Amino acid sequence: MDKKFRKTVIAGNWKMNQLASGVPAFMETLTADLTVGKGEEAVLCVPFPLIPAMKAAAAGTPVKVGAQDVSAHDKGAYTGEVSADMLADLGVDFCIIGHSERRAYHAESDELVNEKLKVLLAKGITPIVCVGESLEQRDAGETLRIVSTQVQAAFQGVSAEEARGIVVAYEPIWAIGTGRTATSEQAQEVCSFIREYLAEKVYDWDTSKAISILYGGSMNGKNCAELLAQMDIDGGLIGGASLKPAEFASMIKAGSEDA
């Protein structure tokens, strides 16, 4: 399927790392010779307190700023939560939802992920919705069932037009932060399945071919090009490697060549 119908997205997820004071130096190194291709988005999703510093450091560069989570509530007595309106006010462009760490450590359900997706869309923020199976589920042959259930729930009540602006990230839980990466064939198999499922069970092929599907799970500078060469892998959601400016820049370059 022709990739020209959708964007290549290289998104870094800093998780709970870095300090606001270190952002300017990081960005200076990252953007020194940075090339972002036409049809490509380079994004850094940072902890909430770092967003203002990242917006300031990214000004005038091609790097977009993302958050790592959002509340499903608009406002009110929800101590510790951050609303989509607050993110939009800070100029956030992207936001990760449904990451396996949120699902595991905070018991986030598929239904909650869907609610978060809708509040982001309402504020013009691009959701990066994560799906993926555990090692036990993969070994039990349940990968496609688990992933299809998560995809179906995430897009519930979302129009085809809105869906075109959503990014899906396939992150096999067994490959996140473990150094163990799905082979390019394994990653392509599931990303292709997600696109086919969106086309045949949720929307249609015109809609599906416009949705960027990323691979996440120990993607790094060494395996990035091979993964991006796959027909249905339109970028990466990158953890540890995004904390290394030179390596992350090389991955953005690889995405530029793929775009």
Side-chain angles (χ1 to χ4, degrees):
M1 185 174 289
D2 199 329
K3 290 189 174 186
K4 70 181 180 182
F5 294 105
R6 51 193 179 268
K7 291 183 177 181
T8 297
V9 180
I10 304 297
N13 177 12
W14 277 10
K15 305 192 178 184
M16 197 173 70
N17 292 293
Q18 296 282 26
L19 297 174
S21 58
V23 167
F26 179 97
M27 288 299 290
E28 184 176 355
T29 301
L30 175 67
T31 59
D33 296 301
L34 188 66
T35 300
V36 177
K38 183 179 179 181
E40 179 187 20
E41 297 276 21
V43 186
L44 278 170
C45 298
V46 301
F48 292 132
L50 275 60
I51 290 172
M54 181 57 73
K55 283 296 294 185
T61 79
V63 178
K64 301 291 181 64
V65 179
Q68 298 174 4
D69 189 32
V70 68
S71 174
H73 303 287
D74 291 330
K75 61 181 177 181
Y78 303 103
T79 301
E81 294 286 272
V82 174
S83 72
D85 205 25
M86 293 173 182
L87 296 181
D89 189 54
L90 290 174
V92 166
D93 303 293
F94 290 77
C95 183
I96 299 169
I97 53 173
H99 194 280
S100 62
E101 291 159 2
R102 299 293 309 179
R103 294 178 189 259
Y105 305 151
H106 301 276
E108 292 197 0
S109 66
D110 290 336
E111 292 73 22
L112 180 58
V113 173
N114 175 249
E115 292 174 17
K116 291 184 175 187
L117 183 146
K118 289 175 179 175
V119 299
L120 291 172
L121 290 176
K123 297 301 178 180
I125 298 172
T126 299
I128 302 176
V129 56
C130 300
V131 300
E133 82 284 10
S134 68
L135 181 59
E136 292 75 18
Q137 290 165 338
R138 169 166 279 273
D139 288 344
E142 296 187 330
T143 294
L144 301 187
R145 182 185 67 81
I146 294 296
V147 169
S148 62
T149 297
Q150 292 173 337
V151 169
Q152 178 72 48
F155 284 84
Q156 187 70 34
V158 176
S159 70
E161 183 178 357
E162 290 172 322
R164 292 168 181 260
I166 295 169
V167 176
V168 177
Y170 167 56
E171 289 203 314
I173 298 169
W174 47 271
I176 299 174
T178 63
R180 177 178 175 181
T181 311
T183 66
S184 56
E185 291 79 12
Q186 288 173 321
Q188 164 60 21
E189 177 187 13
V190 180
C191 290
S192 175
F193 168 78
I194 292 170
R195 195 175 310 285
E196 183 176 331
Y197 187 85
L198 285 167
E200 297 183 354
K201 302 295 185 180
V202 187
Y203 299 109
D204 52 62
W205 278 107
D206 283 343
T207 302
S208 179
K209 71 183 181 183
I211 297 173
S212 296
I213 300 176
L214 318 183
Y215 171 74
S218 298
M219 182 185 274
N220 54 51
K222 294 181 180 179
N223 59 32
C224 181
E226 180 181 351
L227 287 162
L228 292 177
Q230 303 303 309
M231 186 60 67
D232 290 288
I233 298 178
D234 305 311
L237 182 56
I238 299 143
S242 71
L243 294 163
K244 305 171 184 176
E247 184 170 5
F248 191 54
S250 73
M251 299 174 77
I252 295 171
K253 181 180 179 181
S256 175
E257 293 168 352
D258 179 68

